[in-house]
Amino acid sequence: MQYTSFQPRPRTLLGPGPADVHPRILAAMARPTIGHLDPLFIALMDEIKDLLRYAFRTENRLTMPVSGPGSVGMETCFVNLVEPGDKVVVCINGVFGTRMKENVERIGATAVVVADPWGRAVDPNKLEDALRAHPDAKVVAFVHAETSTGARSDAKTLVEIAHRHDCITIVDAVTALGGCELQVDAWDIDAVYAGSQKCLSCTPGLAPISLNERALERIRSRQARVQSWFMDLNLVMGYWDGSQRRSYHHTAPINALYGLHEALLMLREEGIEQAWARHHRHHLALRAGLEALGLALIVPEGERLPQLNLVSIPEGIDDATVRARLLAEYDLELGAGLGDLAGKVWRIGLMGYSSRPENLMLCLGALGTVLR
Ligand code: PLP
């Protein structure tokens, strides 16, 4: 067997993530690797934290990227903020809410589920009812942008309800960050995690998180030690917190962080509100084009994510055949449905650098031809 360097064909990634990575970001990642305690790298870490505060719209001191994919961001929030025996209200309207429940149960805490249909936003009235029925709940967790269904929940209202019932909030913003409005401070979100590979157009593998004072106080007053050594924020902060003498915790993914820095710089150059507006504009154009092809979005208007569009597969059309042809003939990747939606929908993501007019045209043109 003769092995050679891997040279993937360039694809256009219009699925649920990863999105296309901007060439500027790939170029940044190819720069020389330096030490993870090098003063130059420490300065870069401080800039990344500042730029993340801009992206999250927060002044939270504890704002940083966790080394690991979005799932590690999720787990970091849960293992630090939930203790064995706690009661956590988990809103489930898709795959990622289900994973939150799994996190809660693996900690030895109790999950109270607020269930909504896949493809719909979390119903605030159901959350209110659950919190009335469980006054001992300590945490409310929900997904702002459900990638499995394309539904956006009203994070501001859900957080307000949770706080009225003395709960802190854990919000999944993996797909939300950079693609639709997310206001960590103005909405008073206590803990939020995101991913590098969606609307930030960076490579997968980093999970920005941000925790406010209320969340930090919860960590300080824990009875039980955080069961994960790697994700214990008390220890991670020894490396990421500039007010302390930085010490080795783990070897940071240095070049990946060059990429995240470049991605955040580009977001700042564009302007966060302009990025939200771009995603919205391209969503409207995609919707109009899909309607012209006779294809319908499944999420009701008003609950739709601009960056991720779920399209019903027309009667008699084979999901896998269409996606295979799009990949083979157009180098175009669309996402398949997950769980109950498998075989019934396509997930079309216009995220970050993928959210461009030429990709819209490619997607509509290719789908139109393959479905003819
Ligand atoms: N949460 C949501 C809403 C996601 O869309 C994803 C990934 O698609 C995750 C969590 C997990 O992120 P990762 O796959 O980077 O671990």
Side-chain angles (χ1 to χ4, degrees):
M1 177 82 184
Q2 188 79 43
Y3 296 105
T4 54
S5 301
F6 180 56
Q7 299 283 356
R9 294 172 61 79
R11 307 277 205 202
T12 302
L13 302 180
L14 301 189
D20 285 345
V21 178
H22 196 285
R24 242 178 88 175
I25 295 169
L26 290 175
M29 293 175 76
R31 290 177 194 144
T33 305
I34 59 176
H36 63 110
L37 289 168
D38 185 311
L40 288 176
F41 190 69
I42 301 278
L44 180 83
M45 288 164 70
D46 287 339
E47 278 196 29
I48 290 173
K49 290 192 295 181
D50 272 353
L51 289 165
L52 273 178
R53 288 188 190 100
Y54 172 76
F56 274 128
R57 316 230 85 178
T58 183
E59 299 295 321
N60 286 342
R61 196 171 63 82
L62 199 171
T63 303
M64 53 169 257
V66 173
S67 303
S71 307
V72 179
M74 179 187 283
E75 204 141 340
T76 299
C77 289
F78 280 93
V79 295
N80 281 277
L81 294 170
V82 178
E83 292 192 65
D86 283 353
K87 194 178 263 190
V88 179
V89 176
V90 181
C91 305
I92 300 185
N93 61 341
V95 166
F96 294 100
T98 312
R99 286 202 188 166
M100 288 176 147
K101 175 172 178 277
E102 176 92 359
N103 269 267
V104 169
E105 290 172 348
R106 281 175 186 241
I107 289 167
T110 304
V112 172
V113 172
V114 171
D116 275 294
W118 286 36
R120 297 300 309 267
V122 172
D123 181 347
N125 294 321
K126 287 190 189 166
L127 175 61
E128 184 89 58
D129 291 347
L131 288 168
R132 279 208 195 102
H134 296 276
D136 52 341
K138 290 188 169 168
V139 180
V140 167
F142 64 88
V143 180
H144 184 207
E146 213 354 305
T147 326
S148 60
T149 69
R152 169 179 11 196
S153 291
D154 180 353
K156 179 171 185 272
T157 301
L158 297 175
V159 171
E160 267 167 25
I161 295 169
H163 286 166
R164 247 192 285 117
H165 292 269
D166 289 331
C167 286
I168 62 162
T169 47
I170 298 178
V171 178
D172 179 319
V174 170
T175 284
L177 184 65
C180 61
E181 186 177 10
L182 171 66
Q183 306 271 6
V184 170
D185 283 1
W187 298 349
D188 209 10
I189 293 170
D190 301 296
V192 63
Y193 59 89
S196 47
Q197 76 273 31
K198 311 248 185 196
C199 299
L200 298 180
S201 320
C202 190
T203 50
L206 288 170
I209 60 167
S210 186
L211 275 72
N212 70 10
E213 253 317 301
R214 209 182 281 120
L216 293 182
E217 190 44 44
R218 183 64 62 91
I219 296 175
R220 281 184 217 113
S221 60
R222 283 180 67 100
Q223 304 294 309
R225 200 154 69 141
V226 175
Q227 65 268 41
S228 160
W229 176 86
F230 181 67
M231 285 175 263
D232 184 341
L233 284 171
N234 295 302
L235 304 177
V236 180
M237 286 305 281
Y239 179 52
W240 272 94
D241 187 352
S243 68
Q244 305 179 21
R245 202 174 158 273
R246 315 258 188 168
S247 56
Y248 168 65
H249 175 262
H250 65 281
T251 310
I254 294 158
N255 293 57
L257 287 165
Y258 298 171
L260 181 65
H261 178 265
E262 197 71 17
L264 293 167
L265 201 59
M266 290 180 63
L267 182 67
R268 186 155 183 140
E269 286 166 8
E270 178 178 15
I272 184 87
E273 279 158 357
Q274 285 74 12
W276 298 337
R278 171 170 53 86
H279 284 87
H280 184 63
R281 201 165 56 241
H282 295 158
H283 158 72
L284 294 180
L286 179 72
R287 186 187 69 180
L290 291 170
E291 281 171 2
L293 293 174
L295 297 170
L297 298 180
I298 68 154
V299 175
E301 204 167 349
E303 295 179 11
R304 283 179 194 154
L305 286 170
Q307 61 273 52
L308 190 68
N309 302 272
L310 257 73
V311 183
S312 287
I313 299 177
E315 202 71 31
I317 298 289
D318 182 56
D319 165 33
T321 308
V322 170
R323 283 186 299 104
R325 278 194 62 192
L326 292 174
L327 199 61
E329 296 169 29
Y330 296 89
D331 282 310
L332 172 62
E333 180 181 284
L334 299 190
L338 287 181
D340 291 351
L341 296 173
K344 296 183 187 150
V345 296
W346 292 309
R347 291 186 293 160
I348 306 183
L350 291 174
M351 298 181 180
Y353 183 54
S354 289
S355 180
R356 283 180 291 148
E358 52 268 50
N359 287 346
L360 265 170
M361 301 315 286
L362 170 69
C363 177
L364 293 170
L367 258 182
T369 308
V370 170
L371 291 177
R372 210 164 33 216

